[in-house]
Amino acid sequence: DAQALAAAFDHNPTKAAEYGRENALAPPEGAHVTPTPLAGASTLTEGQTSPKTGTQAAPGTNPTVGPLDRVRVDSGGQFLTTNQGVPVAQNQDSLKAGLRGPALLKDFILREKITHFDHERIPERIVHARGSGAHGFFECYRSLRDITRAAPFQEDGKVTPVFVRFSTVQGERGSKDTARDVRGFAVKFYTDEGNWDLVGNNIPVFFIQDAMKFPDLVHALKPEPHHQMPQAASAHDTFWDFVSLMPESTHMLLWAMSDRAIPRSYRMMQGFGVHTFRFVNEAGESRLVKFHWTPRLGTHSLQWDEAVKISGADPDFHRRDLWEAIEAGEFPEYELGVQVFTEEQANKFSFDVLDSTKIVPEELVPVEPVGRLVLNRNPDNFFAETEQVAFCTAHVIPGIDFTNDPLLAGRIHSYVDTQLTRLGGPNFHEIPINAPVAPVHNNQRDGFHRQAINRGRVAYEPNSLAGGCPFQAGSAGFVSFPEPVRGEELRGRPEKFAEHYNQATLFYESQSEAEKAHIVGAFRFELSKVTVPAIRERMVANLMNVSRELATSVAAGLGMGSIEASPRALARVPRPEVRQSAALSLLAHPGDGSIRTRKIALLVCDGVNGESLAATQQALFEAGAVPRLVGPRIGPFVTAEGETLQADASMENEPAPLFDALVLPDGERAVKMLAVDGRAAEFVKEQYRHCKPILAPGASSTLLEGAGASKMLEDGTRDPGIIAGVEDDDEAIAAFIDAMAQHRHWVREKDPPLV
Ligand code: HDE
């Protein structure tokens, strides 16, 4: 045991290990203790339950529920008290000397209440201020022991609890969800060997290559400092001024101007670790790795006009969507994939894997699926969990290590540092949502808001008074990968970092026609908000190096003449290995083909054909979708058959952009009434314009015509997203569900729009 071991090394049992390379890598026997699990402290594996939770993760339950229970508060059936637990007799009036007399200073109840209120706010995150979180678990498909000793990957089917936070980057805490922006995808794994945070984004590359430029980037992106506008938008001078002067941003800009930046849902976007990380196995061998999350529901996006309108109709669109799906038991699920490769392979690539503005194309290294992430529980309290969760790229565990990506290096510093201000001191790791499931033992002490009550008089190492405890874990602990390092101190970048356009071109050329058109539209919109012509011109000149077609289309949309390509940093451009990569298009990830959780508006009013409505509603329910009856107002309506039905939404309180698809009502009288309601025409128009499926049974096709929504495409073929004039109800509904499974029907889209 520890005491006996300490006695055997009566001075300093760990000291010897500090000398010599060999000892540093593998401390000699006896210089460390292999931790023997305490009674009941088993690891969280498929066969074993967590000591903290006593439960196994399974959909619908959550392994982090247990440890947090000690701090959960439920006030049902309780007296109101002060923070000192004193019951409060009356909570309406302050204490006064006479009913019209002065309030008394000794009113400790009022003072405590107001003082606490005065300090309720903490600083928001400098970036990623707006976010939404959820609990869940990660399940490893099979053991990856041969390539990493990271705890979550040790056994087939191993389950690790997680907390995930999705976010936008540029807006403030109360800003809209559907801004054109990168989305954060941060995962905290509460592993047996400590917390591992994979703090990623929904875009696999970044704007800059070196952490030195991050404050500049963020200052340029955020609302301009003199008047604090615009909120949650990159469409302004300072952002485009900066990125147009930083050609390394170009690849990321292509992604940010694509539909990736306006996802339909957090549940329908990918996530990426961005940097190249390391896997390290038990034998100390390392391979390089890139992390990918891919949603089970497929990758789907909004249309820009739709995103703009949603931000007015429901600024909480993504937050609500995530919350409601989890409450409904429709647990969001993502598959984790890894690209694993060696340094030797990486050295041959035409780009540098330490450059975060580059991807590793899947054609060079395929993505292997290794596990799934399931989000199965909403937080109980937004502030305590989602706001106080502190992610950090420095939170790695044995088996995961860094590479020399210079962007990553800055992040390893930044995330802990920022919490010191945001969460008010060095003990934020003790806040329940941040506390690891693995036990914490060290000699760090005190500081603001310390929770742990460390026992004994020893808070130093080496010691003999505590038997040398806590011991170094030696090779059982985190051992940094001993990458040989040699070089001169200098400020600079490797040669390959200077190639800025090849992968931007690869991205553009890998998009579908509709996606390309959206990229052109986004550049046009953003640059049209730039007031300084020289900035616009510089940006288009950079785009000339990506694609002439893209650049000239953007220029045309801005009323600009021809532009020369900007000079390249490299005289000889390396030949890219891959010129097209299917995986880069959103269409590559259609999901499981179901319409689960899609929101569908069923327009209703008096005189609606109840039978057809009920059949449609039933079929949509059965397909797992969310049909809502939307009326001219909420409340009861009488069907053509004389039955009463209840509309739970109105065209005013839930306008068209909030729905994925539309069902128009059959029934002569209903159609007549809606035909003279401008809101119904607008509803149809917007659904049509946003390329959504529309089911128009029986008489309702006149509503389509009234809104200028044609069943036919310009080339004379039928619009596959409009189901109208189909006699057989079942056939029509089946066709509608099919059309919805394809999400949006971009073939309908025209620029400028037809309606
Ligand atoms: Fe972050 N980033 N970042 N970032 N980042 C923060 O940490 C930073 C970068 C990302 O839901 C901050 O706790 C630097 C890349 C996410 O709480 C801060 C650099 C990627 C989140 C910070 C980067 C990210 C953050 C602000 C360049 C994708 C939200 C509050 C060197 C791989 C996490 C906080 C959450 C948050 C610094 C670049 C993702 C200031 C210095 C690249 C998802 O520490």
Side-chain angles (χ1 to χ4, degrees):
D1 69 1
Q3 292 283 355
L5 201 74
F9 290 82
D10 61 350
H11 293 300
N12 181 0
T14 53
K15 206 71 192 161
E18 287 173 21
Y19 297 97
R21 185 175 182 280
E22 289 311 310
N23 282 345
L25 294 182
E29 205 46 42
H32 66 275
V33 181
T34 309
T36 38
L38 301 170
S42 54
T43 53
L44 186 72
T45 61
E46 193 184 27
Q48 297 164 297
T49 53
S50 157
K52 291 247 174 171
T53 63
T55 55
Q56 253 180 272
T61 64
N62 194 288
T64 50
V65 168
L68 295 183
D69 266 351
R70 73 186 167 85
V71 285
R72 288 203 168 93
V73 178
D74 193 339
S75 296
Q78 304 292 325
F79 277 138
L80 181 74
T81 74
T82 66
N83 284 336
Q84 303 306 315
V86 177
V88 175
Q90 203 255 36
N91 189 34
Q92 311 308 318
D93 303 293
S94 51
L95 190 67
K96 305 174 193 94
L99 287 180
R100 299 189 64 247
L104 298 178
L105 184 60
K106 71 174 179 180
D107 187 353
F108 66 92
I109 297 179
L110 172 75
R111 284 174 41 218
E112 182 199 80
K113 185 173 176 180
I114 301 258
T115 305
H116 196 277
F117 169 77
D118 291 343
H119 300 275
E120 274 176 10
R121 286 292 167 275
I122 62 169
E124 65 173 33
R125 289 165 173 83
I126 163 80
V127 282
H128 297 264
R130 179 165 180 84
S132 298
H135 294 273
F137 64 88
F138 172 74
E139 186 181 24
C140 178
Y141 293 153
R142 60 184 170 82
S143 167
L144 300 184
R145 222 174 250 247
D146 51 334
I147 52 172
T148 176
R149 55 164 288 203
F153 305 112
Q154 290 314 284
E155 285 136 50
D156 299 359
K158 179 160 179 176
V159 164
T160 302
V162 303
F163 187 79
V164 175
R165 184 172 178 272
F166 302 110
S167 47
T168 56
V169 178
Q170 58 205 358
E172 292 168 4
R173 189 152 53 196
S175 57
K176 62 200 176 195
D177 276 344
T178 55
R180 173 174 296 284
D181 201 352
V182 182
R183 298 300 184 287
F185 192 130
V187 184
K188 188 181 283 296
F189 294 79
Y190 302 89
T191 87
D192 311 337
E193 296 205 288
N195 286 355
W196 170 35
D197 295 352
L198 184 53
V199 198
N201 278 344
N202 75 329
I203 290 179
V205 288
F206 202 62
F207 292 105
I208 49 169
Q209 296 171 326
D210 191 301
M212 194 68 148
K213 299 310 296 172
F214 190 66
D216 299 290
L217 167 72
V218 176
H219 287 173
L221 173 65
K222 283 267 178 175
E224 297 190 11
H226 55 318
H227 55 24
Q228 203 62 8
M229 290 191 279
Q231 180 55 243
S234 53
H236 59 114
D237 286 3
T238 57
F239 175 71
W240 288 98
D241 185 27
F242 176 78
V243 291
S244 63
L245 291 166
M246 296 282 292
E248 69 200 53
S249 303
T250 314
H251 185 199
M252 174 72 164
L253 285 173
L254 265 285
W255 287 79
M257 294 303 115
S258 80
D259 293 346
R260 302 266 178 173
I262 37 173
R264 159 64 181 82
S265 160
Y266 289 137
R267 303 176 294 122
M268 300 173 196
M269 64 180 199
Q270 286 187 291
F272 303 92
V274 177
H275 312 281
T276 303
F277 288 91
R278 278 181 191 286
F279 267 160
V280 184
N281 67 12
E282 200 68 55
E285 295 156 348
S286 163
R287 289 173 185 80
L288 301 176
V289 57
K290 291 257 181 193
F291 295 103
H292 297 238
W293 297 107
T294 301
R296 191 71 82 203
L297 292 174
T299 48
H300 301 292
S301 286
L302 301 169
Q303 196 201 44
W304 175 242
D305 182 66
E306 184 190 1
V308 169
K309 287 170 177 160
I310 290 175
S311 63
D314 185 5
D316 304 309
F317 188 68
H318 288 148
R319 178 175 291 178
R320 193 182 311 285
D321 169 275
L322 180 68
W323 180 273
E324 287 181 350
I326 295 174
E327 289 300 293
E330 291 283 348
F331 301 136
E333 195 172 323
Y334 308 80
E335 184 160 78
L336 180 66
V338 291
Q339 285 177 294
V340 179
F341 50 99
T342 61
E343 304 255 7
E344 292 69 44
Q345 270 175 290
N347 291 340
K348 293 192 193 119
F349 297 154
S350 65
F351 52 89
D352 197 321
V353 297
L354 301 184
D355 174 357
S356 277
T357 68
K358 308 285 168 28
I359 57 164
V360 176
E362 295 184 23
E363 289 69 18
L364 295 183
V365 182
V367 177
E368 295 288 339
V370 295
R372 67 178 183 133
L373 167 70
V374 179
L375 300 180
N376 61 2
R377 183 184 164 98
N378 278 316
D380 287 297
N381 183 283
F382 186 91
F383 180 83
E385 300 173 81
T386 309
E387 190 63 12
Q388 292 201 105
V389 68
F391 293 94
C392 178
T393 40
H395 295 166
V396 289
I397 52 172
I400 309 280
D401 210 336
F402 314 118
T403 57
N404 295 330
D405 176 340
L407 192 68
L408 178 58
R411 296 184 71 202
I412 294 166
H413 162 74
S414 174
Y415 289 68
V416 163
D417 184 45
T418 200
Q419 313 305 345
L420 299 178
T421 305
R422 194 173 76 83
L423 298 173
N427 287 316
F428 63 86
H429 63 280
E430 293 189 326
I431 294 172
I433 193 67
N434 295 323
V437 171
V440 176
H441 294 288
N442 59 42
N443 294 315
Q444 295 169 36
R445 291 292 186 272
D446 310 348
F448 281 116
H449 318 306
R450 183 68 172 179
Q451 308 287 306
I453 303 175
N454 297 100
R455 304 181 70 189
R457 58 177 166 159
V458 169
Y460 55 88
E461 191 278 345
N463 70 68
S464 64
L465 294 180
C469 293
F471 282 98
Q472 295 182 160
S475 55
F478 185 90
V479 178
S480 287
F481 178 69
E483 185 185 0
V485 181
R486 157 163 301 174
E488 290 151 24
E489 279 182 25
L490 46 80
R491 296 185 189 274
R493 298 184 192 187
E495 180 89 349
K496 281 183 186 171
F497 278 43
E499 200 295 299
H500 300 136
Y501 298 110
N502 274 350
Q503 290 203 352
T505 307
L506 168 66
F507 180 77
Y508 186 69
E509 296 305 338
S510 304
Q511 304 301 299
S512 64
E513 285 311 308
E515 288 170 304
K516 281 185 179 168
H518 294 167
I519 292 172
V520 171
F523 272 110
R524 181 181 68 204
F525 172 82
E526 298 265 321
L527 293 174
S528 72
K529 292 279 196 177
V530 168
T531 65
V532 180
I535 297 177
R536 276 184 237 145
E537 283 160 22
R538 193 161 58 220
M539 194 57 231
V540 175
N542 288 352
L543 294 182
M544 283 294 282
N545 289 319
V546 178
S547 154
R548 175 168 287 272
E549 173 201 272
L550 166 66
T552 50
S553 309
V554 173
L558 295 168
M560 277 164 53
S562 70
I563 297 276
E564 288 275 304
S566 54
R568 287 173 176 257
L570 277 186
R572 284 194 50 217
V573 179
R575 265 169 64 96
E577 297 85 349
V578 180
R579 292 188 188 271
Q580 253 192 342
S581 176
L584 300 180
S585 162
L586 288 171
L587 304 184
H589 314 282
D592 59 11
S594 81
I595 61 161
R596 298 200 77 80
T597 73
R598 302 285 173 83
K599 274 184 80 175
I600 301 138
L602 280 61
L603 285 198
V604 295
C605 65
D606 286 330
V608 58
N609 179 333
E611 207 178 302
S612 135
L613 181 71
T616 312
Q617 203 178 9
Q618 187 56 31
L620 293 174
F621 269 132
E622 281 167 14
V626 186
R628 302 279 308 268
L629 301 188
V630 182
R633 53 154 172 75
I634 59 164
F637 289 94
V638 181
T639 66
E641 295 89 342
E643 309 237 329
T644 301
L645 51 82
Q646 296 281 340
D648 57 0
S650 71
M651 293 187 278
E652 178 185 61
N653 81 359
E654 293 221 22
L658 300 182
F659 295 93
D660 291 298
L662 171 66
V663 177
L664 293 171
D666 198 1
E668 299 265 332
R669 201 153 66 88
V671 168
K672 242 188 204 156
M673 282 176 75
L674 290 180
V676 292
D677 187 334
R679 293 167 305 178
E682 195 173 271
F683 216 104
V684 177
K685 221 175 241 190
E686 287 193 330
Q687 290 283 315
Y688 181 80
R689 184 169 175 181
H690 300 149
C691 303
K692 295 170 181 175
I694 303 176
L695 171 61
S700 69
S701 30
T702 56
L703 292 174
L704 280 182
E705 287 148 27
S710 170
K711 283 187 286 192
M712 307 306 282
L713 295 171
E714 263 194 346
D715 64 4
T717 59
R718 286 187 67 98
D719 185 322
I722 295 188
I723 320 299
V726 179
E727 292 283 309
D728 183 286
D729 271 359
D730 292 341
E731 202 181 301
I733 294 168
F736 180 57
I737 289 179
D738 220 39
M740 263 196 301
Q742 293 161 52
H743 189 63
R744 298 295 154 84
H745 292 272
W746 303 125
V747 281
R748 186 191 303 159
E749 198 174 35
K750 286 277 161 292
D751 185 13
L754 286 173
V755 300

